[in-house]
Amino acid sequence: MYSDMSVTKQMAPDTAKAVPEPTLKRLPLYHRFLKEWRQAGKESVSCTDIGEELKLDPTQVRKDLEAAGISGRPRIGYATAAVVDGIELFLGWKKVSEAFLVGAGSMGSALLGYRKFEECGLKIVAAFDRDPGKIGRKIHGKHVLALDKLADLTRRMHILIGIITVPAAEAQAVADVLVAGGVRAIWNFAPIRLRVPEHLILHNEDLYCSLASLSQKLAQALEANPAEAAPVRKTRTATFN
Amino acid sequence: MYSDMSVTKQMAPDTAKAVPEPTLKRLPLYHRFLKEWRQAGKESVSCTDIGEELKLDPTQVRKDLEAAGISGRPRIGYATAAVVDGIELFLGWKKVSEAFLVGAGSMGSALLGYRKFEECGLKIVAAFDRDPGKIGRKIHGKHVLALDKLADLTRRMHILIGIITVPAAEAQAVADVLVAGGVRAIWNFAPIRLRVPEHLILHNEDLYCSLASLSQKLAQALEANPAEAAPVRKTRTATFN
DNA sequence: TAGATTGTTAATCGATTAACAATC
DNA sequence: TAGATTGTTAATCGATTAACAATC
């Protein structure tokens, strides 16, 4: 049965079975924790160790590591450093891809400041904006270029990732330019569902969808167990002055 | 069998069956689309209409609306305005809860600028930061207050939601203060898993986890179908000057 | 009436969890 | 050796999709 497994792993990447989305989102949590674990000098780790830290079922942890192609040894556990390394390899964090960020507003600026993205395979090489007041400036050390140049530069520099942080109304047009320029993946922060070709990797980071889930649960919790009413105040902001 | 359904709906909210997370995240998409649909003067809408727009199975749309307590009429469809309204009601967007945002860095500032949050049940009433250079200033019209005051004000103002946008190292301490102050929900943007009491609603917005999923898929896609190599350049930034 | 659409139940699919064998 | 842990298969659970009845 082992031989069957290795056949699976030798399959061409495009036919390899896709790893479940939940697994992909848990792997960075393991990675983060295991870096601490390694730092603490612990050379091996068990699924139970990881599960206890992250409040996850040990079997689930084991399955996730298996999906990432990482194996351990019965009775011993996993070699901490090998898991850290294996996760980085599996997630594609070893070779960094270049990205353009479009929309140097407040969300765009925030993302330009995330230094650790480079450790996760993402290097934002420049930002683009339409606003002449922003063009030519630098934000968190990254140049802000004229939106006009996006199409040409994306193609010439073989940029693979586009990050969209423009208002919803402009997002589709930006996506079209990025796709025409040859990007392979789009990370979309605009609250709109973009139309892109089938093969393109598209991730939506729609905060309103996240918020909806939070507010529904809060509303339900408040209905079950209401908050005591706050004392009446004339104006709330008065408190802050 | 209808009578059974209404019994279900009459159950106490804390015993009502939880609505699936994927459903909660799709409802805002329907809401957004149906506002346009209504704007266009279309008074009724079918699940097929919604499904075509959002590339979703019509049956799934119907189940989602059912979960939100919204019903239609065979052959006719759903009344557009009633669905818009029903989603808002179900998601708790009709009564707005007050929130404090902690950490007036770039991500915090970005969130303070999201005007539409108030239409989604979330009113950020103030921001908090430790940096004296920020305290007393306003960001996107919201006061930035001293972190010292967080505990007292959270309690006195009966704040229900805490938004955490501080660095990972400080996030747990902030969460503890918010919890002690009585918040019922935390929206956490720091890349760390917080420990909070069981009953507390906690949503993690961990961009590194999202990014991991994107980078893994990109790495896999590039392996299957590599990008042509970019022409060699001495320094990349030279292009921008 | 006929046909389109919702309402509702059943089947499928995928992820999680449980059980247990293999192994160091 | 015995016991802890991985490896692997089976069972469960939940969400999606399909089938079909109800209805306007």
Side-chain angles (χ1 to χ4, degrees):
Chain A
M1 46 195 86
Y2 253 137
S3 52
D4 280 358
M5 283 306 293
S6 50
V7 167
T8 303
K9 283 186 186 144
Q10 281 163 14
M11 286 197 304
D14 58 334
T15 55
K17 190 134 154 285
V19 173
E21 191 74 19
T23 294
L24 293 176
K25 296 219 166 136
R26 281 188 299 263
L27 286 170
L29 302 177
Y30 306 161
H31 183 261
R32 211 177 268 159
F33 169 59
L34 292 173
K35 277 196 298 184
E36 290 175 27
W37 193 261
R38 185 182 56 183
Q39 194 73 21
K42 294 169 180 169
E43 292 181 0
S44 74
V45 67
S46 75
C47 291
T48 310
D49 296 328
I50 300 174
E52 275 174 8
E53 166 73 16
L54 298 169
K55 309 248 177 68
L56 296 171
D57 186 306
T59 304
Q60 184 170 69
V61 175
R62 202 171 304 123
K63 282 241 163 173
D64 287 342
L65 294 180
E66 192 203 312
I70 296 162
S71 56
R73 290 195 306 176
R75 159 81 194 150
I76 310 295
Y78 297 82
T80 310
V83 180
V84 170
D85 202 63
I87 291 175
E88 289 172 9
L89 184 68
F90 178 73
L91 292 178
W93 289 359
K94 298 277 192 179
K95 45 183 179 51
V96 175
S97 297
E98 293 186 331
F100 277 166
L101 180 146
V102 189
S106 57
M107 178 54 76
S109 301
L111 297 181
L112 290 171
Y114 275 62
R115 295 288 176 85
K116 295 250 176 77
F117 280 169
E118 293 202 18
E119 297 169 20
C120 304
L122 180 77
K123 181 177 183 178
I124 305 177
V125 293
F128 291 80
D129 205 290
R130 169 188 293 166
D131 178 1
K134 287 172 182 161
I135 296 166
R137 294 187 52 199
K138 276 180 147 194
I139 296 177
H140 293 295
K142 309 283 168 76
H143 285 275
V144 180
L145 308 178
L147 192 53
D148 295 343
K149 296 184 176 167
L150 179 63
D152 182 51
L153 283 173
T154 302
R155 182 166 294 286
R156 274 174 47 204
M157 292 181 66
H158 295 79
I159 297 296
L160 294 176
I161 303 175
I163 304 173
I164 298 181
T165 47
V166 298
E170 293 162 48
Q172 184 63 57
V174 168
D176 293 343
V177 171
L178 289 166
V179 168
V183 301
R184 303 285 286 267
I186 286 180
W187 200 5
N188 176 40
F189 287 78
I192 185 180
R193 253 178 99 97
L194 300 172
R195 315 266 168 179
V196 297
E198 275 289 321
H199 65 275
L200 209 118
I201 298 159
L202 172 63
H203 272 232
N204 292 301
E205 216 67 54
D206 193 324
L207 290 185
Y208 294 96
C209 293
S210 290
L211 178 53
S213 161
L214 184 125
S215 67
Q216 194 275 337
K217 286 173 195 159
L218 179 61
Q220 193 172 291
L222 290 176
E223 207 176 325
N225 183 9
E228 324 82 275
V232 177
R233 273 165 274 121
K234 283 228 189 74
T235 59
R236 214 140 250 164
T237 46
T239 313
F240 306 140
N241 291 322
Chain B
M1 47 195 83
Y2 252 138
S3 52
D4 280 359
M5 282 307 293
S6 50
V7 166
T8 303
K9 283 188 187 145
Q10 281 162 15
M11 288 197 302
D14 58 334
T15 55
K17 189 132 156 288
V19 174
E21 191 73 19
T23 294
L24 292 177
K25 296 221 166 133
R26 281 189 298 264
L27 286 170
L29 302 177
Y30 305 161
H31 183 260
R32 209 177 270 158
F33 169 57
L34 291 173
K35 278 196 299 185
E36 290 175 28
W37 193 261
R38 185 182 55 186
Q39 195 71 22
K42 294 170 181 171
E43 291 180 1
S44 73
V45 67
S46 75
C47 292
T48 310
D49 295 329
I50 300 174
E52 274 175 7
E53 168 71 16
L54 298 169
K55 308 247 177 69
L56 296 171
D57 186 307
T59 303
Q60 183 169 72
V61 175
R62 201 170 305 123
K63 283 241 162 172
D64 287 342
L65 294 180
E66 192 202 312
I70 296 162
S71 56
R73 290 196 306 177
R75 158 81 196 151
I76 310 295
Y78 297 81
T80 310
V83 180
V84 170
D85 201 63
I87 291 175
E88 289 171 9
L89 183 68
F90 178 75
L91 293 177
W93 289 359
K94 296 278 191 178
K95 45 184 178 52
V96 176
S97 297
E98 293 186 331
F100 277 166
L101 180 145
V102 190
S106 57
M107 179 54 77
S109 300
L111 298 181
L112 290 171
Y114 275 62
R115 296 287 175 85
K116 295 250 177 78
F117 280 169
E118 293 203 16
E119 297 169 20
C120 303
L122 179 78
K123 180 177 182 177
I124 305 177
V125 293
F128 291 81
D129 205 288
R130 168 187 292 163
D131 178 2
K134 286 172 183 159
I135 295 167
R137 292 187 55 198
K138 276 182 147 192
I139 297 175
H140 292 295
K142 309 282 167 77
H143 285 275
V144 180
L145 308 177
L147 192 53
D148 297 340
K149 297 185 176 167
L150 179 63
D152 181 51
L153 282 174
T154 303
R155 184 166 293 288
R156 275 173 47 205
M157 292 181 65
H158 295 79
I159 296 296
L160 294 176
I161 304 175
I163 304 173
I164 299 181
T165 47
V166 298
E170 294 161 47
Q172 184 62 58
V174 168
D176 293 343
V177 171
L178 289 166
V179 168
V183 301
R184 304 284 286 268
I186 287 181
W187 200 7
N188 176 41
F189 287 78
I192 186 180
R193 252 178 101 97
L194 301 172
R195 314 266 169 180
V196 297
E198 276 288 322
H199 65 273
L200 209 117
I201 299 159
L202 172 63
H203 273 231
N204 292 301
E205 215 69 53
D206 194 325
L207 289 185
Y208 294 97
C209 293
S210 290
L211 178 53
S213 159
L214 184 124
S215 67
Q216 194 274 338
K217 285 173 196 158
L218 179 61
Q220 193 173 293
L222 290 176
E223 209 177 321
N225 183 8
E228 325 82 274
V232 178
R233 272 164 273 121
K234 283 227 187 79
T235 59
R236 215 140 250 162
T237 46
T239 314
F240 306 139
N241 291 323

